[in-house]
Amino acid sequence: MGRLGVLVVLVGLWAPCPAEAQVLEKTCVGPERSDRGRALALEVDAQSRAHVVHVNDNGGGLYYTVVDAIDGDQNMVIDRRASVLGAGVLTHTDLRLFDGIPHICYRDAPSDNFRVGWLDGEEWILEDVDQGADYGDSCALFYADGELSVLYRRTNRLSVATRAPDGQWQIADIDNIGSVGHGVHLTELRNGYIVAAHRDDSTGNLRV
């Protein structure tokens, strides 16, 4: 696994959006209504198709959509009851394409299960990684040494779970100072190192 160095960085940048950048081709996923854009995650493949994960608040379903300008949109249900208004709202997901196969992570709000899944043909395979009231309310997927791994918030900690060859998930803490792990995002460098950014809510600092 790539090493994760931790340092504190304060960020305060703002810039207006150029007017010319606002003229974009727009695609509506599903009916034009305001309850289908929560917990968005997006990846674009080599064929310029957009792969999107999103929640429909009207029913609480988690959906996977492929937006293809040539063949049209394709929609699949990942989890029919992943979000519950007033009881547990899903606000964050991550979507990554590994060897062209979409992988996701999310917190199943009704059960408090943190899950990782991938598309196998026409079926989504979902595995429970961990369980806790706010486990996985932010998460980020990656591969390390050929093993599927995920960074995620685990109460006030930033933890990593790695799927072993026998299918079991091994969990370890990465950062546990303050109230960390909020809004985690990551990128992989060419040397194989993983760089992660997340927020410490106890101080308001961004940690990298």
Side-chain angles (χ1 to χ4, degrees):
M1 182 184 304
R3 293 165 50 194
L4 291 173
V6 177
L7 54 91
V8 176
V9 181
L10 300 180
V11 177
L13 300 176
W14 179 88
C17 181
E20 60 270 18
Q22 299 176 14
V23 182
L24 302 173
E25 181 177 346
K26 301 175 180 64
T27 299
C28 292
V29 177
E32 293 187 28
R33 50 190 305 163
S34 60
D35 58 4
R36 290 180 177 262
R38 193 185 298 275
L40 284 172
L42 168 71
E43 280 276 82
V44 178
D45 64 23
Q47 289 75 42
S48 299
R49 296 175 300 187
H51 300 252
V52 185
V53 170
H54 54 103
V55 168
N56 178 3
D57 283 346
N58 183 17
L62 180 64
Y63 293 85
Y64 165 70
T65 299
V66 179
V67 181
D68 190 324
I70 298 176
D71 296 329
D73 300 347
Q74 304 172 30
N75 294 283
M76 294 183 67
V77 177
I78 300 173
D79 190 330
R80 293 189 180 278
R81 192 68 170 165
S83 183
V84 179
L85 287 175
V89 176
L90 176 59
T91 60
H92 180 94
T93 60
D94 189 34
L95 168 67
R96 296 294 178 98
L97 299 176
F98 299 123
D99 293 328
I101 299 173
H103 291 64
I104 61 165
C105 60
Y106 70 100
R107 180 178 70 88
D108 180 67
S111 67
D112 284 333
N113 284 319
F114 172 54
R115 290 176 173 163
V116 169
W118 57 90
L119 185 61
D120 183 7
E122 298 295 323
E123 180 183 3
W124 279 93
I125 306 299
L126 302 176
E127 293 188 353
D128 291 338
V129 177
D130 206 347
Q131 186 179 42
D134 55 7
Y135 288 12
D137 64 1
S138 68
C139 60
L141 293 157
F142 64 102
Y143 258 87
D145 299 324
E147 295 179 329
L148 178 61
S149 302
V150 59
L151 287 175
Y152 67 104
R153 180 171 177 255
R154 195 168 181 242
T155 308
N156 293 326
R157 296 162 288 175
L158 178 66
S159 299
V160 60
T162 301
R163 192 176 190 272
D166 62 0
Q168 299 298 310
W169 288 90
Q170 301 172 349
I171 300 170
D173 289 342
I174 296 295
D175 191 357
N176 58 5
I177 300 174
S179 177
V180 297
H182 298 268
V184 62
H185 290 274
L186 64 79
T187 190
E188 183 174 355
L189 304 182
R190 291 183 179 179
N191 59 8
Y193 277 56
I194 302 298
V195 179
H198 58 104
R199 188 179 69 256
D200 179 356
D201 266 9
S202 64
T203 62
N205 288 329
L206 175 66
R207 300 173 71 86
V208 179

